[in-house]
Amino acid sequence: MDVPKLLEAASLLVPEEIATENDITVSDVWEYLTHDEWEMALGLLEELSGVHPLPLSFWETLATAAEQMRLEKSAAWCHWRGYETRNGVIRADLTLRPATEARRQTPFSGAGVLRPMWNIGNRTATGEPALNVARLWVELMPFLEPGGRAPVRLAPLDPSQWQHLRPGQVITMHEDRSVAGSAVVLEVQQPPATFTT
């Protein structure tokens, strides 16, 4: 399917009555589509998704359109949101340790590339802390540097291990045995019943 048809298909999944804080609606998306402004239409669809939860097919369709337009970050974001639709949302306020106190000396990409380990309170059979892997997406910033702080989204390798998290809980990030940062859980949304196992 070509890009315009993919964007049209995605826009049909957005309820007509929803609007962003800036009064953007699906009608605005259609306006850009009629003028072959595909990148703008894609951006507006991503923005509209923050107003109302949308189905997995919306994210899969947008990801395919972004890939065909070679918009790597948009494609990665759409795949990320598809993951969250299937597995739930975990958001936290992360503070990294400064470079003088941690292994990390350089900034890392905020676009879901880093896969650190997290101490989320789970234990091994012998009572030792069990670390769980989750990819990390930094919100509103292209990268995060040592000592930095930002809201982040987590995509666990095994979401079932993370179901006990609650807002306000403190978890720690590890890139090796030492603590690389700490995060306060801001939001935990379980996946819709159709995606629970």
Side-chain angles (χ1 to χ4, degrees):
M1 195 179 291
D2 63 5
V3 170
K5 289 195 183 330
L6 288 165
L7 294 172
E8 288 171 14
S11 67
L12 291 172
L13 297 170
V14 179
E16 287 184 34
E17 67 275 3
I18 70 167
T20 67
E21 290 178 1
N22 301 330
D23 290 327
I24 294 168
T25 67
V26 75
S27 296
D28 297 304
V29 173
W30 282 97
E31 184 68 28
Y32 282 109
L33 287 175
T34 59
H35 292 97
D36 295 331
E37 303 255 357
W38 304 335
E39 193 170 340
M40 287 297 296
L42 176 77
L44 291 182
L45 285 167
E46 288 178 3
E47 199 172 326
L48 282 166
S49 68
V51 178
H52 180 79
L54 295 168
L56 179 59
S57 57
F58 171 85
W59 293 111
E60 290 172 340
T61 304
L62 271 194
T64 302
E67 287 165 352
Q68 288 185 15
M69 289 188 285
R70 300 192 189 322
L71 300 172
E72 293 177 18
K73 188 164 183 188
S74 283
W77 176 244
C78 293
H79 285 297
W80 187 279
R81 291 301 304 271
Y83 171 91
E84 289 181 337
T85 300
R86 286 188 307 276
N87 298 291
V89 176
I90 301 172
R91 294 181 61 248
D93 183 17
L94 173 65
T95 303
L96 293 180
R97 294 180 70 190
T100 56
E101 299 175 14
R103 175 179 165 254
R104 174 162 294 282
Q105 300 295 302
T106 59
F108 63 83
S109 168
V113 177
L114 190 67
R115 297 172 184 252
M117 298 169 288
W118 297 86
N119 182 342
I120 58 172
N122 292 334
R123 299 279 177 197
T124 65
T126 60
E128 298 294 316
L131 299 180
N132 298 88
V133 176
R135 288 185 305 139
L136 184 149
W137 188 287
V138 180
E139 294 182 351
L140 309 172
M141 298 172 70
F143 59 87
L144 190 59
E145 56 191 50
R149 178 179 175 187
V152 297
R153 299 172 95 96
L154 304 176
L157 182 64
D158 181 356
S160 67
Q161 295 291 315
W162 296 66
Q163 291 180 352
H164 66 281
L165 289 186
R166 298 290 175 258
Q169 188 172 347
V170 176
I171 58 178
T172 56
M173 180 179 125
H174 300 258
E175 292 188 81
D176 58 17
R177 284 270 191 228
S178 63
V179 174
S182 62
V184 177
V185 177
L186 299 173
E187 176 184 358
V188 179
Q189 289 181 21
Q190 296 302 322
T194 54
F195 287 108
T196 56
T197 54

